[in-house]
Amino acid sequence: MKLRPLILLFAKISLVFTFIVVIAGSVVRMTGSGMGCPDWPKCFGHLIPPTSDAELNLMEGASFDKGMMMIYHDTLWVANENLKVNGGFIHEQWHKYPKHDYATFNVLHTWVEYVNRLATVLYAFPIMILSVLCLLLLIREKDKITFFLALFTDIMIGYEIWLGKLVVDGNLKENSITLHMFGSIAIVSLLLLMIYRHRQEKNRIVSDNTFKSLMLAMLALTFLQIMFGTQVREQVDIVAKISSDRSVWIDQLPIMFKIHRSFSILVGIIAIVLFLKYKKLSQSIWQVDTMFLLILLEILVGVILSYFSMPATLQPIHLLLGVLLFASTFYGYLKVRT
C-alpha cells in the first residue's frame, strides 16, 4: 500500500473540512447561536437536542433522564436522577446548572449550534485516518516530519475542542473568536505543509528574492488582517446587544474597526506591487492567481459590509474569504520560496 498518495488525499479532505468548520462557526456567530446549546458536549443534556419548548418544561408526567435539563423560572436545572414529573418541582430531584446562568431556548439557535458540532465530529474522521497513515509512514519510512505535522495538527484540533468547551461554559467569553481563528489558521498551515510535502507535481518555480519577500509580506499582512477582523467581530457582538439596527453598528465600533479598514489599504498596495512583479515571472502559479482574485473579492465584501449596514449573510463569506486568502498565499509562498 502506497502511503504518501493516501496521506495527500486525506490531508486535502481534512483541509476542506477545516474550511467547512470555519464557515459553520461563522454562521453560528452570525445568527447569535453560540449558546444555542448551553452545555458541552451534549445539548441541554440530550444527545439529539430538543425541538420544542415542551421538552424543557416542567410538565406533569414528563420524563427526564439523569443529566437532562429543563428551564424553570428562567433558570437552567439538571436532573439528579431518572425521573418522571409528579407534583411539580421537587428540589431534591434537580440541581442548578453551575457553569453559567444562561437559560434561554431558541430552536433555531439550538440546531444551528448542533449542526456546527456535528460538522466538527465529521471533521474528526479524516483527521484520525490521516494521523494513522502518518504513524504508519513513520514506522515504515522513518518520516518524522510528516508524523510531527500530523501530531501538531491533532494538538491544535484538541486545543480548538477544549476552547469550544470553555467558550460554552463561560457563556461566550471575550476574545473567543480570535483564539478560535488562531487555531484554525494553525491547522490550515499544518495541513498545507503536509500537502506540499507530499505533492505530486514538483516543478521548480523560478523567482527572485524581491518576489519571495513580497509574498512573505503578503502572508504576514493577511494573517494580521484576519486577527484584526476577528477582534472587530467580537466588538460587533457587543454593539449588537445594545442595538439591533445594523445601520448604526459601524459608527459605534471602536478604533479597531478603523485599524482593520485602513490596514486593507496597505494590503491592497502590496498586492498591486506583487501583481506587477508576478507578471514578470515566466511561470504561472494558480495559487497566486487565486490569491489576487480573493483579495479583490475580500475588499469588495469589506466595502459592502462597511457602507451597506453590515448584511448578515456577508459576514461568514468575509471570514471564509480571509481564510482562503491566507491558504492560497501560504501555499503560493511555499512554491516560490525553494
Side-chain angles (χ1 to χ4, degrees):
M1 179 177 65
K2 293 183 178 180
L3 292 175
R4 293 186 184 275
L6 286 174
I7 288 173
L8 179 63
L9 172 63
F10 279 95
K12 289 180 177 180
I13 293 173
S14 298
L15 183 64
V16 171
F17 266 95
T18 304
F19 295 136
I20 292 173
V21 170
V22 167
I23 194 71
S26 183
V27 170
V28 167
R29 207 77 189 197
M30 176 195 74
T31 56
S33 303
M35 292 300 291
C37 293
D39 52 327
W40 189 97
K42 292 184 178 181
C43 188
F44 288 100
H46 295 250
L47 290 175
I48 299 177
T51 57
S52 69
D53 293 334
E55 296 176 63
L56 297 172
N57 289 341
L58 194 69
M59 298 172 61
E60 195 70 17
S63 297
F64 291 87
D65 292 338
K66 182 179 180 179
M68 286 186 176
M69 296 180 175
M70 66 96 177
I71 299 174
Y72 182 68
H73 287 180
D74 296 324
T75 302
L76 201 60
W77 296 89
V78 185
N80 293 328
E81 58 191 28
N82 296 340
L83 60 91
K84 187 172 184 179
V85 178
N86 183 15
F89 182 78
I90 301 174
H91 197 282
E92 290 74 19
Q93 295 177 332
W94 305 89
H95 69 270
K96 184 179 177 182
Y97 189 63
K99 295 183 178 178
H100 56 72
D101 57 2
Y102 185 88
T104 302
F105 174 73
N106 178 301
V107 66
L108 172 63
H109 293 173
T110 293
W111 278 87
V112 168
E113 169 61 13
Y114 183 67
V115 169
N116 175 48
R117 294 186 185 186
L118 281 182
T120 305
V121 171
L122 293 175
Y123 180 35
F125 288 101
I127 288 291
M128 286 190 295
I129 295 171
L130 180 62
S131 299
V132 171
L133 291 171
C134 292
L135 178 60
L136 291 175
L137 189 67
L138 174 68
I139 296 170
R140 183 183 294 182
E141 300 183 22
K142 310 301 180 186
D143 189 339
K144 294 181 180 178
I145 295 177
T146 298
F147 173 75
F148 280 111
L149 286 173
L151 178 61
F152 289 137
T153 301
D154 293 339
I155 290 171
M156 291 310 303
I157 289 174
Y159 160 80
E160 290 281 76
I161 294 171
W162 170 77
L163 182 61
K165 180 182 185 306
L166 288 185
V167 168
V168 173
D169 289 347
N171 193 0
L172 304 182
K173 289 183 177 180
E174 292 184 13
N175 298 317
S176 59
I177 299 179
T178 303
L179 293 173
H180 261 306
M181 184 50 57
F182 177 82
S184 298
I185 291 295
I187 292 168
V188 167
S189 301
L190 290 164
L191 289 172
L192 286 174
L193 284 168
M194 198 178 300
I195 291 169
Y196 181 75
R197 182 170 176 78
H198 297 277
R199 71 196 187 283
Q200 293 171 336
E201 75 154 313
K202 300 199 176 183
N203 55 313
R204 180 175 173 78
I205 304 296
V206 179
S207 61
D208 58 26
N209 289 331
T210 302
F211 186 77
K212 294 175 186 176
S213 298
L214 286 169
M215 282 294 293
L216 182 59
M218 178 58 70
L219 181 62
L221 290 173
T222 301
F223 173 76
L224 287 174
Q225 187 68 324
I226 291 173
M227 293 297 103
F228 290 153
T230 56
Q231 287 290 304
V232 172
R233 188 65 185 85
E234 300 267 5
Q235 293 161 359
V236 166
D237 286 347
I238 296 172
V239 171
K241 292 177 182 178
I242 301 171
S243 172
S244 60
D245 184 0
R246 287 178 170 266
S247 65
V248 301
W249 285 3
I250 293 294
D251 294 333
Q252 295 179 11
L253 290 174
I255 193 170
M256 180 54 71
F257 169 72
K258 294 180 175 62
I259 294 173
H260 179 60
R261 185 173 59 186
S262 300
F263 207 72
S264 63
I265 298 173
L266 178 59
V267 173
I269 293 172
I270 297 296
I272 292 170
V273 176
L274 190 58
F275 180 78
L276 295 175
K277 292 289 293 183
Y278 176 64
K279 284 303 178 183
K280 296 180 182 180
L281 295 183
S282 57
Q283 297 148 288
S284 177
I285 308 169
W286 74 264
Q287 290 88 357
V288 179
D289 292 328
T290 303
M291 178 191 75
F292 290 124
L293 175 61
L294 289 169
I295 289 172
L296 290 175
L297 290 174
E298 185 76 321
I299 292 174
L300 175 61
V301 172
V303 168
I304 295 173
L305 286 169
S306 296
Y307 295 100
F308 294 91
S309 302
M310 280 197 174
T313 53
L314 287 186
Q315 289 176 283
I317 294 173
H318 192 54
L319 177 61
L320 180 63
L321 287 174
V323 179
L324 290 172
L325 174 57
F326 177 87
S328 60
T329 306
F330 185 71
Y331 201 85
Y333 175 69
L334 290 176
K335 293 187 77 169
V336 303
R337 64 181 282 274
T338 55

